[in-house]
Amino acid sequence: MIHSLFLVSNSGDIFLEKHWKSVISRSVCDYFFEAKEKAGDPENVAPVLQTPHHYLISIYRDKLFFVSVTQTEVPPLFVIEFLHRVADTFQDYFGECSESVIKDNTVTVYELLEEMLDNGFPLATESNVLKEMIRPPTILRSVVNTLTGGSNVGGTLPTGQLSNVPWRRVGVKYTNNEAYFDVIEEIDAILDKSGTTVFAEIQGVIEACVKLSGMPDLTLSFMNPRLLDDVSFHPCVRFKRWESERVLSFIPPDGNFRLLSYHVSSQNLVAIPVYVKQNISFLETGSCGRLDITIGPKQTMGKMVESLMVTIPMPKSVLNVNLIATQGTYTFDLSTKVLLWDIGKLNPQKLPNLRGSLSVQPGAPKPEENPSINIDLKIQQLAISGLKVSRLDMYGEKYKPFKGVKYVTKAGKFQVRT
Amino acid sequence: MTTMQRLLQLPVNAVNMVKTVQSQVQGQEEDKSPVLSPDNGQQTWYSALQPDELRHLRSGGTGGGGGGGGDQEERGFQEDGGGGGSGGGSFQSQPLRHDDLKEMLDSNKDSLKLEAMKRIVAMIARGKNASDLFPAVVKNVACKNIEVKKLVYVYLVRYAEEQQDLALLSISTFQRGLKDPNQLIRASALRVLSSIRVTIIVPIMMLAIKEAASDMSPYVRKTAAHAIPKLYSLDPEQKDQLIEVIEKLLADKTTLVAGSVVMAFEEVCPERIDLIHKNYRKLCNLLIDVEEWGQVVIINMLTRYARTQFLNPNINESLLEEGGGGEKTFYGSDEDEDEDDEEKEKEKKVEAAAMAKRKPYVMDPDHRLLLRNTKPLLQSRNAAVVMAVAQLYFHLAPKAEVGVIAKALVRLLRSHSEVQYVVLQNVATMTIKRRGMFEPYLKSFYIRSTDPTQIKILKLEVLTNLANETNISTILREFQTYIKSMDKDFVAATIQAIGRCATNIGEVRDTCLNGLVQLLSNRDELVVAESVVVIKKLLQMQPEKHSDIIKHMAKLTDNIQVPMARASILWLIGEYCEHVPKIAPDVLRKMAKSFTNEEDIVKLQILNLAAKLYLTNSKQTKLLTQYVLNLAKYDQNYDIRDRARFIRQLIVPTEKSGALSKYAKKLFLALKPAPVLESPFKDRDHFQLGSLSHLLNAKAGGYQELPDWPETAPDPSVRNVEVKESVPEWTKCSSREKRKEKKVEKPFYSDSEGESGPTESADSESDSASGSESGSGSEGSGTGSESEESEEASVSEEEDEEEEKKTKKRESKKPVQESESEQSSEEEDRKRERKSKQRKSESESESDEEEDSESDSSQSESEDSESEAEIKKKKKAAESKPPSKPVKKDTKKEKKEMSLLDLDDFEPTPSPQVTPVNNLLSNSLVTDLEGLSLSDAVLSPATIAPSSALKSYELLHRITGEGLSVEYCFSRQPFSPDANMVAVQMHFTNNSTSDTKNLHMEDVKLQSGMRVKDFPEIELLPAGEKATAVMGIDFCDSTQAANFQLCTHTRKFFVSIQPPVGELMRPVFLTENEFKKEQGQLMGMNEIAEKLTLDAKCRNEHAIVQRVTTAANLSRVPCGSDKECSPLVPPPEHPVYRFAGRTVTSGSLVLVTVASREEGAAQLMVNCEKMLIGTMLVKDILLALTQ
């Protein structure tokens, strides 16, 4: 399956290699560099490349390329999904997944990779199991390790692989038993020039942070489970139970995990929290254009819209902008030509407005397309689909846990065409 | 560490000092340690050592254990040395790092070793060469510190291949590890051992794998499965042996192993599909619990398997192409609807079959099993699993069911862009074949300006494939937005997409064309050029209508510079010069003027234009053509020179012009077929979707072709796991054996046991009817006149009122009815014994036919030897009580009834030789009774219930058992030591010539939750003799097998008992009202309904009841019409049969309804809280009723 893995930085430096079968020379990456060169944008590098003797399957995450090499037929998604799982694990262990962090923790990274694959076939990918074998570094531990010369390898052997619940280790103990669930919904929408919705849907996830002792068996039920159109579960969720009763019944992994992701279909009417009045125009002659954007609340269910942010990728011919914002600040990145307007809270009484002129490269033709406006926002204490958790029950353990549910609505891929 | 080594090292350090300076001057980077020569010396010294010596050495090195005075001193010294080394390393130059690393490794402080190993691993990670450290590292392989050890393993696996001789030194450590009591150490030893790619240890690896494959721990077995492909890649010669191991591991029942072994199967012997047969159902059932990566591999393999084993579910669809019109409504439907659809489909198929004179397609239950068990995995969080299920459905499911995958695939579009990329490629292929499936999700493929270009283009492809008459207007509106994008590649692709929509959908062709023509005035040249190319293709379809567009394009030649576009315009004008007779020559004039400055493709088209004009309009263009040809004659490009020469010869009439020239017009102005604008994803689906080969559209190494459906289905019985039924064997057996077999059979009175519980409940009459029914049945047998007395005796304890009813009933049914006797049961017993003895001799002479049918029922309680005494006591107690208060005595009465059959007087401990006597009696009675009931419509069906046969299964074959053969059957008796256990009756036959002693079981391996009660040890089984024993198994309401070893004094045999689902329940009595009430609570997911056509032989009440009760241990629910069972009331035209039971372990209700309809059609409905049991039961009963 997966033969080798190369970690490549954005600048094209191979800073880590791992082989699970025989060694493959890193020169195989030249094909990848060639493709990267051709694609220009790193996002545009084809995830699967064919070379005379190998296939390169790569992902681009956090400004890093994970380039894996295989020699035979393998489902590409299998590899891609696995590579993302590797990146997730790094993120989980080190807080971020960047070149410097991986370089600082080479040995831990190497041990992780060793455990995650055996002969190219995934072995242990559950973070709970891995953490038992290889302890994640903490500041305290790294201090202790430098003093005592210990490493992050677990001293005892894990038992998780062998328990009936592979994602949960046995003997978990907490003094404060708590279980928190974040219902996070993202609105994906495309609005056209006039503000009508071309397409809108809601993607939601329930992120859980469960710190409970022993082997708790949880049941989470919703007021309106019918809303959930399409769901995918963490493997711990009992599918049959969901099918028959529409409740989530599971023995949770220890710590943070994504319990469920769901989809509220575009058939349902999706509330659009804000409206955008915009006017971006470029003059036919003369090297300038005008920009005027106002944002106002639309359907916010009486909640405050926070962290409002507008991103506009300007045409390449725009040289600079000269704008005035009534609220928040704006920045214009001269190299990427991205205009970023950070508004903050949306005040319904005094609508934020950004207006001014754009200077365009002299002599360049008028840009064909007006740039689209991408909006980012956050609404606390609201799940825009109306989803509500009705209760959480725990079986199998005697103590009373603290329970909490938080709702957040965010803008996902929220785009206004102009 | 020996002093010798220390001595060796000192000079090494000295040498290093010197070399440092040199290397610093040279400024070498860390290619290789410059201190190679002393290193080599050390190396030879090591390799001369035997593994044993090395171990000794190691223990000295790491051992803090042997604490002699001298030892202490030595260590102190070493620590100093190590410290000095590492300290020195800080100011020593880079190249010497390896030496201080070596020193650190040689020290006996774990912390130093660890530090050194960390640095070495970091080197490996960066791709630096660390191979020269091999000797120093390898001796730490037995280091006690687990952290050091792990890093040493990492190093070893990386470099063992390069230093094979030295690597061998580590082998013994792993060999010892393989014997470790800790399973994780065993596993890790095997993992590293198998990762060392050294050919010489192949036999050791083989041995280790074989051993690990039968390890107790599933984790070790999993590791063994992982090791198989490693060994195979190292030495393909081992294939045959490895296949044996794979075969063994495939039979493993743990989910942990399943994924890994299938992976090994795929890498080593994907062509050995026959290995899967026996494990197919198990894999299907385990699938949901396998870890996600294993699921992907198993699903992909099963797709291939199913393609070879089942029939194409759409085989008739292809004959009924118009049937596709309805598919839109089917898509996106729920499962319930799917069921309906299936019905429709079936009907449709039947029609189709009639047309095609084919047999109607019936899906193999195993095929259905696969589809059903993979469906929940569409909900997996792992994109690869979802994709695997999607491709399975795409390749295997009936057309109407494929729709379920669309939603899941659309969900994946939210994932990372790489995932989107792969999913969109597959969706693009799917949309070509099954457009309707994704139509509801059209908007999910709308493109955002922030998408990467490759994703945009794929989405565009999907949108284009999805376009049809109804949605084209929305799609075109979207496309209009896209055309304004800043991403020019994307715009070009959009224009192509518009072109494709226009060719595919005639209605919008004009609209599209107009839109494209507008684009011709676009400021961006690329857009214009692309439009021209697309317009050219479109115009070819109906040129005559569009001469104005051609004129418009002719004008563009002045402005447009993109060669491809210019060439397209010229070709178009040339091709349709008759439509623009005035403009064409003028265009040629302009072109002739700029000929020398044009690109090559444009020049070629100018030549073509000239030639075509010369042929149609030679008067105006003759000179121009000559001029152009002359220019071309001296062109730099030889293609153009060639073309000019060719055209000149062809069109310009000369005196010696060839025969071809008169065909010139035909050659140049032939009608050209319009180009077909096709998706690049067309026909990609011959590659298995989701595979690398599909993505690349080229066969990747190791790709397994997806086979075509077979014409006729291969034998489905190869997947049957249970050993062949022994029924046919009986007929071949000697009469003595026959008797033995019969003991296995279902007890005659089993129904009364099951139903006597609620005898005194409100609906008691029906129950008493069942009791009396059996009595009347036995009367009907004609031969056994006494047996009914015993029957009456059993009933005699019931209340008078009931008896009256009974009598009435009996009168109404049987004129032969005799008066009820109030004899004591003991007497009764004796009589019966005598009778049965007679009967035995009679029935033995009966034909084989009858033997078969009488297999129906028998009492087997005699084997309940341990409860014997108890029962007897109870019997006594029950007898002593007056018969007027049986209300609380239900259970006792039941016991008593059982005891009536006990042969306690006859023989103190019941033995198999005697019990059959009873069975024979009852059997023959039942046979007769069956004959009767066929003619008697009012006869309560409960009587027939016990007539179901008990299947006997082979546990151990005579040959494998070396003379000992064992069969088992489910006696359907409550297992008295534990009510939650299923009683399994085992029959031992010693066919060998020597005695078998100490027959017992041990080493029971069970799934969690299952329990087993062993059968009592059989001390002696003389040669040629038989014995019977009963064991109890709590299957936990699952059909998982119970594995154990059957031991004799000499041998052990691995055997396993797997229960058919019907045996996992016990009958319970319910009235019709209760039944309906319970059924009402088990709706929805707990209800499984299936339509069927009853077998021709199975259309009467008796047969149906008999077959259902044979298939499952259920009891008949008396139907309402029975209440007034007078012969005056005719039975309903379409009777409904109901059966009830509870699962043995959890006591969940199992309700079965068979509703008959006209013409042998019927509906089967099972309500059970345990859905798995329900579905399996439906399948079993369906099979029983249709065959």
Side-chain angles (χ1 to χ4, degrees), chain B residues 934 1094-1106 1137:
Chain B
L934 282 169
L1094 293 171
D1095 185 36
K1097 285 184 220 143
C1098 173
R1099 298 209 173 152
N1100 60 53
E1101 177 178 26
H1102 165 72
I1104 290 175
V1105 173
Q1106 195 230 315
Y1137 310 100

Side-chain angles (χ1 to χ4, degrees), chain B residues 682-934:
Chain B
K682 196 169 180 283
D683 288 335
R684 263 212 212 173
D685 63 333
H686 64 267
F687 286 114
Q688 187 168 358
L689 263 76
S691 67
L692 185 61
S693 306
H694 169 266
L695 194 75
L696 299 168
N697 202 15
K699 213 174 138 183
Y703 173 74
Q704 295 289 321
E705 292 279 356
L706 196 62
D708 276 336
W709 294 101
E711 283 290 310
T712 50
D715 182 15
S717 65
V718 290
R719 284 181 294 277
N720 292 348
V721 183
E722 67 267 333
V723 198
K724 64 181 169 5
E725 293 171 11
S726 36
V727 183
E729 225 175 49
W730 294 356
T731 51
K732 290 176 220 138
C733 295
S734 69
S735 65
R736 190 197 169 93
E737 274 176 321
K738 264 182 232 163
R739 269 185 286 129
K740 284 229 152 149
E741 296 298 343
K742 259 158 248 154
K743 206 181 61 61
V744 180
E745 292 153 4
K746 200 182 176 230
F748 181 65
Y749 291 115
S750 63
D751 76 317
S752 57
E753 276 166 42
E755 299 193 349
S756 57
T759 303
E760 263 63 52
S761 70
D763 263 286
S764 59
E765 57 162 349
S766 57
D767 188 58
S768 62
S770 76
S772 64
E773 227 62 82
S774 47
S776 64
S778 55
E779 285 155 38
S781 67
T783 42
S785 55
E786 281 104 320
S787 64
E788 77 237 21
E789 287 175 19
S790 67
E791 211 54 57
E792 294 316 319
S794 73
V795 182
S796 64
E797 290 181 14
E798 295 177 22
E799 286 176 71
D800 288 0
E801 200 186 297
E802 277 188 330
E803 301 229 335
E804 276 169 34
K805 278 184 196 161
K806 244 184 284 168
T807 329
K808 254 190 262 163
K809 215 182 282 174
R810 232 170 276 137
E811 274 166 8
S812 66
K813 272 177 256 160
K814 284 260 145 261
V816 211
Q817 185 73 38
E818 287 190 16
S819 68
E820 294 151 11
S821 61
E822 295 288 336
Q823 285 174 352
S824 84
S825 50
E826 254 176 282
E827 242 178 288
E828 205 55 50
D829 259 350
R830 249 174 244 127
K831 264 194 181 177
R832 182 113 68 93
E833 232 95 273
R834 260 174 268 131
K835 203 70 231 170
S836 54
K837 246 196 153 179
Q838 289 173 15
R839 178 59 69 86
K840 175 187 160 194
S841 51
E842 281 169 29
S843 59
E844 259 177 332
S845 60
E846 279 165 15
S847 69
D848 277 355
E849 268 177 24
E850 210 207 286
E851 299 281 4
D852 276 354
S853 58
E854 72 192 87
S855 63
D856 298 340
S857 70
S858 79
Q859 174 60 287
S860 58
E861 66 190 1
S862 55
E863 81 267 359
D864 267 5
S865 52
E866 60 173 297
S867 61
E868 199 76 17
E870 194 189 21
I871 292 172
K872 248 186 258 173
K873 262 180 247 156
K874 283 194 179 163
K875 182 183 84 182
K876 289 267 153 59
E879 274 163 27
S880 65
K881 280 181 184 146
S884 54
K885 40 172 194 172
V887 188
K888 291 173 191 168
K889 286 280 144 334
D890 286 343
T891 52
K892 285 196 178 162
K893 193 174 66 115
E894 173 190 330
K895 290 272 162 83
K896 195 187 159 194
E897 273 183 74
M898 284 159 68
S899 67
L900 282 176
L901 288 172
D902 279 348
L903 309 169
D904 44 351
D905 302 6
F906 190 74
E907 199 175 298
T909 41
S911 78
Q913 271 81 4
V914 183
T915 16
V917 173
N918 258 332
N919 302 333
L920 277 177
L921 167 73
S922 41
N923 286 340
S924 55
L925 285 179
V926 171
T927 337
D928 295 343
L929 176 119
E930 271 175 30
L932 258 175
S933 60
L934 282 169

Side-chain angles (χ1 to χ4, degrees), chain B residues 887-1171:
Chain B
V887 188
K888 291 173 191 168
K889 286 280 144 334
D890 286 343
T891 52
K892 285 196 178 162
K893 193 174 66 115
E894 173 190 330
K895 290 272 162 83
K896 195 187 159 194
E897 273 183 74
M898 284 159 68
S899 67
L900 282 176
L901 288 172
D902 279 348
L903 309 169
D904 44 351
D905 302 6
F906 190 74
E907 199 175 298
T909 41
S911 78
Q913 271 81 4
V914 183
T915 16
V917 173
N918 258 332
N919 302 333
L920 277 177
L921 167 73
S922 41
N923 286 340
S924 55
L925 285 179
V926 171
T927 337
D928 295 343
L929 176 119
E930 271 175 30
L932 258 175
S933 60
L934 282 169
S935 60
D936 193 345
V938 216
L939 186 68
S940 170
T943 349
I944 304 154
S947 66
S948 51
L950 281 187
K951 275 186 196 162
S952 182
Y953 307 95
E954 186 170 76
L955 189 64
L956 187 63
H957 190 261
R958 185 160 48 84
I959 296 176
T960 41
E962 295 173 359
L964 179 71
S965 72
V966 187
E967 289 185 335
Y968 68 97
C969 67
F970 297 91
S971 61
R972 299 196 171 180
Q973 291 291 311
F975 187 70
S976 44
D978 189 329
N980 281 348
M981 289 190 173
V982 178
V984 182
Q985 198 170 25
M986 326 243 288
H987 306 280
F988 305 92
T989 313
N990 188 352
N991 300 315
S992 68
T993 49
S994 58
D995 295 358
T996 305
K997 285 176 214 153
N998 297 14
L999 203 53
H1000 65 285
M1001 56 191 276
E1002 58 181 44
D1003 193 17
V1004 183
K1005 284 184 193 159
L1006 297 170
Q1007 300 292 315
S1008 62
M1010 284 167 65
R1011 293 171 302 137
V1012 160
K1013 175 98 174 89
D1014 298 8
F1015 60 83
E1017 179 170 331
I1018 297 174
E1019 298 284 342
L1020 176 72
L1021 186 60
E1025 286 299 309
K1026 298 163 186 235
T1028 308
V1030 182
M1031 62 184 289
I1033 305 177
D1034 179 0
F1035 285 106
C1036 247
D1037 290 350
S1038 81
T1039 50
Q1040 301 275 22
N1043 301 313
F1044 56 88
Q1045 285 184 2
L1046 201 59
C1047 306
T1048 67
H1049 63 299
T1050 49
R1051 283 289 313 267
K1052 292 181 175 184
F1053 307 104
F1054 284 99
V1055 291
S1056 82
I1057 293 182
Q1058 186 166 32
V1061 67
E1063 303 297 344
L1064 294 176
M1065 46 202 72
R1066 53 188 152 80
V1068 339
F1069 174 81
L1070 289 179
T1071 63
E1072 192 177 343
N1073 286 338
E1074 283 167 352
F1075 184 94
K1076 283 180 176 161
K1077 198 176 129 214
E1078 293 291 351
Q1079 195 176 28
Q1081 291 173 358
L1082 288 170
M1083 304 292 278
M1085 293 300 295
N1086 295 325
E1087 179 173 284
I1088 303 148
E1090 208 53 78
K1091 282 188 185 149
L1092 65 143
T1093 313
L1094 293 171
D1095 185 36
K1097 285 184 220 143
C1098 173
R1099 298 209 173 152
N1100 60 53
E1101 177 178 26
H1102 165 72
I1104 290 175
V1105 173
Q1106 195 230 315
R1107 290 197 185 191
V1108 172
T1109 48
T1110 310
N1113 192 8
L1114 298 169
S1115 73
R1116 171 90 192 267
V1117 173
C1119 45
S1121 62
D1122 272 355
K1123 272 180 190 160
E1124 311 78 34
C1125 6
S1126 75
L1128 302 173
V1129 181
E1133 220 176 313
H1134 302 302
V1136 177
Y1137 310 100
R1138 300 186 178 84
F1139 306 88
R1142 281 186 187 279
T1143 58
V1144 173
T1145 306
S1146 62
S1148 314
L1149 266 183
V1150 181
L1151 307 175
V1152 176
T1153 317
V1154 181
S1156 58
R1157 305 261 156 81
E1158 290 88 359
E1159 306 275 321
Q1163 186 177 21
L1164 169 66
M1165 191 147 79
V1166 172
N1167 302 68
C1168 179
E1169 196 182 319
K1170 305 234 165 191
M1171 284 188 293

Side-chain angles (χ1 to χ4, degrees), chain A residues 1 15-17 19-23 26 43-50 55 57-61 70-78 80-82 84-85 106-107 110-111 114-115 117-119 121-123 125-126 133-134 148-155 157-159 161-162 164 186 188-190 193 198-199 201 203 229-235 239-240 243-244 267 284 313-316 365-366 368-369 371-372 374 412-413 415 417, chain B residues 111 114 118 121-122 124-127 146-147 150-151 154 158 161 182-185 191 195 197 217 219 222-223 226 229-230 256 259-260 263 267 288 291-294 296-297 300 335 376 379-384 387 407-408 411-414 416-423 440 443-444 446-454 478 481-482 484-486 488 522-524 690-693 695-696 698-703 1008 1085 1171-1172:
Chain A
M1 293 241 154
F15 63 93
L16 190 127
E17 62 179 70
H19 308 275
W20 283 276
K21 300 184 182 182
S22 50
V23 178
R26 55 168 65 190
E43 292 233 311
N44 266 330
V45 183
V48 182
L49 295 171
Q50 191 173 10
Y55 304 97
I57 301 180
S58 60
I59 64 162
Y60 182 65
R61 265 276 290 261
T70 77
Q71 273 183 313
T72 51
E73 168 67 45
V74 61
L77 267 186
F78 185 96
I80 289 169
E81 185 77 25
F82 177 79
H84 277 294
R85 205 61 70 80
T106 317
V107 176
Y110 221 67
E111 282 167 343
E114 182 76 30
E115 283 304 325
L117 277 185
D118 182 14
N119 194 35
F121 190 77
L123 190 64
T125 48
E126 280 295 335
M133 288 191 271
I134 302 152
T148 61
S151 86
N152 295 316
V153 183
L157 289 161
T159 50
Q161 282 276 14
L162 310 170
N164 286 331
E186 295 193 352
D188 285 0
I190 302 175
K193 216 176 221 163
V198 177
F199 166 74
E201 61 181 11
Q203 306 281 352
D229 178 44
D230 183 34
V231 283
S232 73
F233 301 115
H234 189 275
F239 183 71
K240 292 261 154 75
E243 282 275 270
S244 57
Q267 269 79 6
E284 201 64 57
M314 286 292 177
K316 297 285 174 247
K366 176 192 163 193
E368 207 46 59
E369 183 199 38
S372 61
N374 297 296
K413 296 173 178 173
Q415 198 162 81
R417 291 174 176 167
Chain B
S111 57
L114 188 62
K118 277 184 168 179
V121 167
I124 298 174
R126 282 198 303 272
I146 195 158
E147 300 176 24
K150 272 195 161 182
L151 296 175
V154 170
R158 170 69 179 77
E161 205 171 8
N182 184 332
Q183 49 179 348
L184 288 158
I185 294 182
R191 211 180 132 190
S195 299
R197 288 168 295 272
S217 149
Y219 184 59
K222 183 191 176 80
T223 321
H226 278 279
K230 295 185 206 170
L256 205 55
S260 306
M263 195 266 305
E267 290 208 4
I288 189 122
E291 34 84 46
E292 43 198 345
W293 311 107
V296 178
V297 180
N300 280 323
E335 188 159 35
Q379 248 70 49
S380 171
R381 65 168 171 175
N382 187 319
M387 190 65 232
K407 200 186 265 181
R411 184 184 69 230
L412 296 186
L413 294 182
R414 268 284 292 194
H416 303 283
S417 80
E418 295 88 7
V419 175
Q420 285 186 42
Y421 177 80
V422 178
V423 170
K443 287 189 173 175
S444 303
Y446 279 6
I447 294 155
R448 292 185 168 77
S449 58
T450 40
D451 286 333
T453 310
Q454 51 184 351
E478 266 302 294
T481 335
Y482 301 160
K484 287 189 225 144
S485 167
M486 285 182 272
K488 291 305 164 206
N522 194 294
R523 214 147 3 98
D524 193 288
S691 67
L692 185 61
S693 306
L695 194 75
L696 299 168
K699 213 174 138 183
Y703 173 74
S1008 62
M1085 293 300 295
M1171 284 188 293
L1172 196 66

